[in-house]
Amino acid sequence: MKILAIDTSCDDTCIAIIETPDEKGSPFKILSNIISSQVKIHQKWGGVYPTLAKREHQKNLPQVLKRALKKAKKPRVDESKDSSSPSSRYTRGSVVDLIAVTIGPGLEPCLWTGVNFAKELAKRENLPIVPVNHIEAHILANLLPQISEISNFQCAKKAPLSSFTSFRYRETQLLISKQLKFPAICLVVSGGHTQLILMRDFAKYRILGETRDDAAGECFDKIARILGLGYPGGPIIAAEASKQVHRGRASVKLPRPMIYQKNYDFSFSGLKTAVLYNFKKQKPKLRKSKEYIREICLEAQQAIIDVLIKKTLRAAKDFRAKTIILGGGVAANKELRKQLKKTVQKELPDSRYLIPDIQFCTDNAAMVGVAGYFHRKETKNWKNVRANANLKV
Ligand code: KG4
Ligand code: ZN
């Protein structure tokens, strides 16, 4: 089965075509995974400007679809047609069998652009649509192939199928039994969300806690803006911090908000404010120095990581998690990946630790295809598909 997946929840226009596992539980095959980034457009605002992002998605989607189809080696798009039309000559069963589209959570105007594009495509090609939750897609990105690194430090033993009886499909059982053991604690950290989620089974989620203000990625982005470093802030701050790491610990001290509170919630806006005060306090010459920027980036990154790890560990211990799962754009942060792995190894040696390959942490449509696969029996007629900016898992 081939799934065409679409994600326009934020500022990346993403379309992927994936081939789903066979009956023996073979891995997902990514035939194409095209991401058209709008970073350059939003850079000058220091964040995503929703109406601008929507316009870009509208412009990009037909082109991204063409590229995705071409890359998947089924270039059957009718080139003679107007490029603004998502129409193609492929039919049900020949190229794709199903369309999966992110309906939320995300930026409302952006979500609708992807949803409307998917609906038009579904109507023309007579294809069913599966609505996908973007947060669940970030979690299930862990089932995509690991290309650049092996994250499972514990060799996955094959679990008996009887322990997965509540799964709906046999191949799903086979696939998941190799990688996921329940209960799992999922830490989803992105530009819009920071959530700790208890996963008791496939599609059985409970949000244990979330941020009360800014998301972790948003905090990275806002700190970078304060320091005049550009957008998106996460990778830039990580790069600056990595330059400082070999020169000893940073002398700047920043707070770890809510770290000792016995709940699973987060708060990052105070950290951003602390960076702002520290920055303003410095003499103009010093705050522009490489040394200061590297120091404050290292400390800010570490403050975010400390809180994320502490709360994840608390949730994992409280719910006796057998798997710890990381997902979302901030999961691309190498220090977070490394430090969380080390903590799990030390404190929860019997638990598995899953992190997506770095390329599947930030927004992409391959992960949407995976989520679409698990919900493939929940297809909807295109007329009934709606975006929901506040959708919860
Ligand atoms: O999941 P994502 O691509 O989009 C949303 O769903 O929001 O996450 C984007 C966020 C941005 O805030 C970006 O700064 C952050 O992920 N990010 C990182 C890194 N790469 C991206 N944060 C820290 N370290 C990174 N290496
Ligand atoms: Zn995301």
Side-chain angles (χ1 to χ4, degrees):
M1 178 191 230
K2 288 194 184 79
I3 300 181
L4 186 145
I6 303 170
D7 186 287
T8 58
S9 58
C10 194
D11 61 340
D12 292 315
T13 314
C14 316
I15 298 187
I17 299 174
I18 64 161
E19 202 171 306
T20 63
D22 60 20
E23 296 239 323
K24 289 183 190 129
S26 63
F28 285 95
K29 229 189 252 168
I30 300 161
L31 304 180
S32 61
N33 188 29
I34 310 292
I35 301 160
S36 173
S37 168
Q38 301 181 10
V39 164
K40 285 210 173 96
I41 288 148
H42 299 285
Q43 235 156 16
K44 61 173 176 271
W45 310 99
V48 182
Y49 209 80
T51 44
L52 207 61
K54 174 194 163 175
R55 221 174 55 204
E56 284 304 304
H57 284 313
Q58 281 170 333
K59 211 164 76 190
N60 292 342
L61 275 165
Q63 293 303 325
V64 174
L65 174 65
K66 275 191 181 181
R67 284 170 61 200
L69 289 165
K70 200 167 174 193
K71 185 90 198 287
K73 297 206 168 49
K74 302 277 181 193
R76 295 202 201 169
V77 173
D78 187 349
E79 304 291 345
S80 66
K81 280 204 177 125
D82 177 0
S83 68
S84 64
S85 153
S87 173
S88 71
R89 258 198 240 126
Y90 59 84
T91 50
R92 189 172 190 160
S94 62
V95 173
V96 293
D97 308 277
L98 190 69
I99 297 173
V101 62
T102 296
I103 59 158
L107 301 171
E108 177 114 21
C110 299
L111 288 165
W112 271 112
T113 315
V115 167
N116 284 334
F117 187 81
K119 285 167 81 150
E120 208 179 319
L121 208 56
K123 186 180 161 193
R124 269 176 218 209
E125 303 296 335
N126 192 25
L127 287 166
I129 295 190
V130 184
V132 167
N133 181 308
H134 185 78
I135 300 292
E136 184 179 25
H138 271 307
I139 294 171
L140 297 178
N142 278 286
L143 300 177
L144 286 166
Q146 295 282 334
I147 296 161
S148 50
E149 63 181 289
I150 302 295
S151 69
N152 294 19
F153 63 82
Q154 199 192 40
C155 185
K157 284 173 239 142
K158 212 164 179 181
L161 285 182
S162 56
S163 60
F164 297 93
T165 45
S166 55
F167 293 144
R168 282 165 244 189
Y169 318 111
R170 191 169 174 272
E171 64 271 41
T172 305
Q173 293 172 351
L174 283 160
L175 179 82
I176 290 191
S177 65
K178 284 186 201 158
Q179 303 178 52
L180 249 169
K181 275 188 150 196
F182 298 111
I185 288 291
C186 317
L187 173 67
V188 180
V189 264
S190 69
H193 293 86
T194 299
Q195 292 185 331
L196 266 172
I197 298 166
L198 172 67
M199 188 179 183
R200 286 214 182 273
D201 203 337
F202 165 67
K204 270 199 186 163
Y205 303 100
R206 188 175 124 206
I207 300 170
L208 300 175
E210 57 194 324
T211 183
R212 294 182 182 176
D213 39 60
D214 294 348
E218 192 179 357
C219 183
F220 272 114
D221 296 339
K222 286 180 174 171
I223 289 174
R225 188 159 38 172
I226 292 168
L227 302 176
L229 296 177
Y231 173 84
I236 303 171
I237 288 180
E240 289 297 326
S242 71
K243 292 176 199 160
Q244 185 69 4
V245 87
H246 307 295
R247 301 183 202 181
R249 299 286 304 176
S251 60
V252 178
K253 266 316 235 185
L254 294 170
R256 271 74 173 147
M258 295 182 71
I259 197 163
Y260 296 114
Q261 285 190 22
K262 300 216 176 305
N263 54 36
Y264 311 110
D265 282 346
F266 303 91
S267 165
F268 290 107
S269 81
L271 176 61
K272 162 206 71 192
T273 310
V275 169
L276 180 67
Y277 287 157
N278 193 291
F279 182 72
K280 282 191 167 167
K281 192 169 82 180
Q282 310 300 328
K283 292 199 174 90
K285 208 175 159 193
L286 183 87
R287 72 184 181 210
K288 284 203 182 107
S289 71
K290 273 188 197 161
E291 187 72 11
Y292 173 73
I293 294 291
R294 289 172 183 177
E295 262 190 35
I296 198 155
C297 284
L298 178 65
E299 174 65 0
Q301 174 179 264
Q302 196 53 52
I304 294 171
I305 292 175
D306 284 349
V307 181
L308 292 176
I309 291 184
K310 184 90 177 176
K311 297 267 171 162
T312 306
L313 196 68
R314 170 174 299 137
K317 284 185 173 170
D318 290 353
F319 290 90
R320 297 174 198 278
K322 291 191 177 140
T323 315
I324 318 294
I325 297 175
L326 191 58
V330 180
N333 186 284
K334 288 189 179 149
E335 272 304 310
L336 173 63
R337 296 165 81 87
K338 197 171 83 186
Q339 292 183 31
L340 183 57
K341 177 174 171 174
K342 214 168 144 188
T343 307
V344 174
Q345 269 174 325
K346 187 166 166 245
E347 306 263 344
L348 304 160
D350 296 327
S351 304
R352 282 173 193 182
Y353 174 55
L354 287 181
I355 36 174
D357 192 274
I358 285 195
Q359 64 171 314
F360 303 128
C361 290
T362 44
D363 288 348
N364 66 86
M367 67 181 192
V368 174
V370 177
Y373 167 73
F374 286 109
H375 289 281
R376 65 194 182 279
K377 296 273 160 84
E378 295 153 42
T379 54
K380 281 194 172 184
N381 183 286
W382 62 268
K383 287 181 196 151
N384 304 322
V385 181
R386 284 191 164 64
N388 177 358
N390 301 313
L391 191 71
K392 301 255 181 218
V393 281

